[in-house]
Amino acid sequence: MEIRATDTPRLEWTGDALAIGFFEDAIALTGDLAQADEKLGGAIKELIEEAEFKGSVGSNAVTRVGSGSSIRKLILVGLGKADTLTLDSLRRAAAAIARSAKQEKSKTLGISLPVFNNDPALTAQVITEGIVLTLHQDHRFKSEPDPKGNKLEQVDLLGFGGQDAAITKATAICEGVILARELVAAPANVVTPVSMAKTAEEIASSYGLSLEILEQSDCEKLGMGAFLGVAQASEIPPKFIHLTYKPEGAAKRKVAIIGKGVTFDSGGLNIKGAGSGIETMKMDMGGAAATFGAAKAIAQIKPDVEVHFISAVTENMISGRAMHPGDILTASNGKTIEVNNTDAEGRLTLADALVFADKLGVDAIVDLATLTGACIIALGNDISGLWATDDSLANQIKAAAEAAGEKFWQMPMEEKYFDGLKSPLADMKNTGPRPGGSITAALFLKQFVKETPWAHLDIAGPVWADKDDGYNPSGATGFPVRTLVNWVLGEA
Ligand code: BES
Ligand code: MN
Ligand code: ZN
């Protein structure tokens, strides 16, 4: 499928399906629309009346146009009131149009949507995102190809002539989101620490990133006792993955993105019981997946920012070699941890990854992790928790997320709650009391970052969606690749 920017007026466009966006209470057919209606034998007016289409947000209507017309199908999509238009409502409108066109088996589609905030580049970008992200379907694990597969070959964004770069950028971002979705959706017998290392190699060789993979023995030399403690019961070797993107010229800043990469979380000897969702714990590498997705997008967009993409990848399993609850581990910064719960493993893997990133001399570190069920209890499935040691970094991420259409809520770094992690024997325990469980998790991580501005994103809820939501089909969402890319580009 090819998406093109063109200045062909909607009145002159010919093809299978023409889609037009309407604001609520502004569906009078004036100007070129009156002409278009006349040209189509009154089809637009008739459809508006028959479908009682009012342009309210999320509404749409489709009709066939009489043979002999320049188009075969007409799709109307409601945008809500003009003054409430957002980038995300445009993504959703574009997604609704693409789904209708697919349903109607259209091969060519012309889309006429308004420009947001006098910014045609950003508008073309989000329209492209809406189309590509809603049409992506994962049929890798089906024996037969999708009978209802997308027939769309060509999409023209009418009135967006010259915005080819925006479409190219959106396509790169969508490739990143789709990579993240596919990594999260694939089961734990397919996506393993070894396969994650292979994926990183593919990204590195395709897009010219440098890649460092630390094997178990390398991690031992660096004293990564926390990460290796989690890995020790698995039959599959752990991989500490470090991809680096360097701009051609001087980098205006250097950042690190760290993703939790637990390819399966059984809980360890504190094994996840019935009703714990253990069968969904393939998603526990969602942070690493989004990190790789961001790497794939950023390597194509080529900003003048140096970015380190890091994940300490392992399974959390049980065996005769498993960590015992109560074991004491030493992380690579020398801090000791009493593992009072082997199911709080993500923070152990992140501890050593944070220490590693902090030594790179970056200007900021962001980690993202499916870290706690407590964060889902606090914020529900659609909103990620955000903790930060630096207000400016927190604000950058909030702005990046707003433009991306991804939701975050800043949570308190309440130092007093660190009391809940005090251990009589070691420097800290890895698990505090149930109340405020996502906050103690963030405070635990904070022990492994020195002075570098740092933000922690608990994405346990949003990486997976039970139902279709606009441009995100149900299942793995690819959250928060778009936020990460916006943040690195500093364009929010
Ligand atoms: N991977 C889980 C968190 C999680 C839960 C992610 C649900 C996605 C959906 C994490 O490793 C975990 O098990 N956390 C425990 C921590 C507890 C033992 C302190 C939890 O949230 O119950
Ligand atoms: Mn766990
Ligand atoms: Zn986990």
Side-chain angles (χ1 to χ4, degrees), residues 260 262 264-267 272 281 283-285 316 342-347 349 369-372:
K260 172 177 171 182
V262 174
F264 186 73
D265 181 12
S266 72
K272 289 184 179 293
M281 281 302 139
M283 70 158 106
D284 214 15
M285 34 58 75
N316 184 25
T342 60
D343 198 11
E345 84 298 337
R347 59 197 76 179
T349 67
T370 48
L371 203 61
T372 67

